[in-house]
Amino acid sequence: MLEMQDSGGTSRRRVLFSLGGAAAVATGLSVVPGLGARLAHATEAEVAETIKEMLGEVPAEGGVSVDLPEIAENGNTVPMTFEVDAPMTADSHVKDVMVLADGNPAPRVATFHFTPMSGKATASTRMRLVGTQNVVVVARMNDGTAMMGKKQVKVTIGGCGG
Amino acid sequence: MATIRPRVKAPRKASAGEVVEIKTLINHSMESGQRKDKDGNPIPRQIIHRFEAQFNGQEFFAVDLQPAISANPYLSFFAKLEESGEFTFRWHDDDGSVYEETKSVEVT
């Protein structure tokens, strides 16, 4: 029995194994450069750079709560809500809120502009996320004070695909 | 593209000083400019890049949208109402079109 299995099975196993190996190498070769060419991802450094353009420096985390699903099954439409902990009076209010994603082809997602008549610095939208990444929300008050919130989202199927 | 029709959900009545929620949705493909067609040619970007909300002619909320906003962009936000009047909402398309919707609200 053992001998029979050995002589028959090994060769089949070998064929399967070598086929699998070849396939893995082939897909590996074709997928990696393809991804690199199609999706030049933003990075954390780029996000920091974009924040600096707007605010001069990257603010400490706090003051902004970001509500996103822990795991997003569909990266094409990920619901997001942010809330800035600030009064919305004529003297002290949130002016701009910038939403960034550090793993998308471009870091910017949207910029929201508020006034005291906005009532509260809260808004919701739906965004595309190409893969698991951090969503960063920075807020600027009318006096220039800045705040930041951050949340990681695990994305099962990426958006932005083509 | 199908006819673009904005939809807005805003209260018809509110009390003075109340902060009300407004929800908006517009059907639009938000073509990101990242995709390619069957022949491998890039599909040019065409998105709604700007949304504005006014009350009695005064802008109180606006958004600059990037291609990372999902198709059929949804936006919800708030407004603090002191007087009766009319909301005007505008969506600006990359192709120059502007889609507009109005809603009136009675404040007591």
Side-chain angles (χ1 to χ4, degrees), chain A residues 40-115:
Chain A
H41 290 298
T43 58
E44 271 180 65
E46 244 184 285
V47 165
E49 215 36 59
T50 314
I51 295 171
K52 277 182 198 157
E53 259 173 50
M54 177 193 177
L55 301 169
E57 58 179 352
V58 178
E61 252 182 80
V64 183
S65 64
V66 188
D67 189 18
L68 276 154
E70 298 253 320
I71 298 169
E73 277 182 24
N74 183 356
N76 275 312
T77 171
V78 184
M80 187 249 347
T81 302
F82 65 80
E83 187 168 358
V84 185
D85 182 18
M88 290 300 273
T89 61
D91 292 338
S92 172
H93 59 269
V94 177
K95 276 193 80 165
D96 307 298
V97 172
M98 185 160 62
V99 181
L100 301 144
D102 67 10
N104 269 359
R108 286 170 197 265
V109 176
T111 309
F112 296 75
H113 307 283
F114 293 93
T115 64

Side-chain angles (χ1 to χ4, degrees), chain A residues 37-39 75-78 88 104-106 108-120 122-129 160-162, chain B residues 19 25 29-32 34-36 50 55 58-72 74-81 87:
Chain A
R38 206 184 68 197
L39 309 165
N76 275 312
T77 171
V78 184
M88 290 300 273
N104 269 359
R108 286 170 197 265
V109 176
T111 309
F112 296 75
H113 307 283
F114 293 93
T115 64
M117 212 202 118
S118 306
K120 48 179 161 174
T122 299
S124 306
T125 190
R126 295 174 191 146
M127 63 169 88
R128 292 172 171 147
L129 294 173
C160 310
Chain B
V19 176
L25 190 68
S29 64
M30 294 293 278
E31 190 57 62
S32 69
Q34 299 280 335
R35 299 198 308 153
K36 287 180 178 148
R50 174 96 178 163
F55 186 69
Q58 196 194 338
E59 186 173 298
F60 66 94
F61 175 80
V63 187
D64 293 306
L65 298 89
Q66 301 290 336
I69 294 294
S70 303
N72 307 325
Y74 165 81
L75 290 167
S76 87
F77 49 93
F78 293 84
K80 190 175 182 186
L81 299 174
F87 286 110

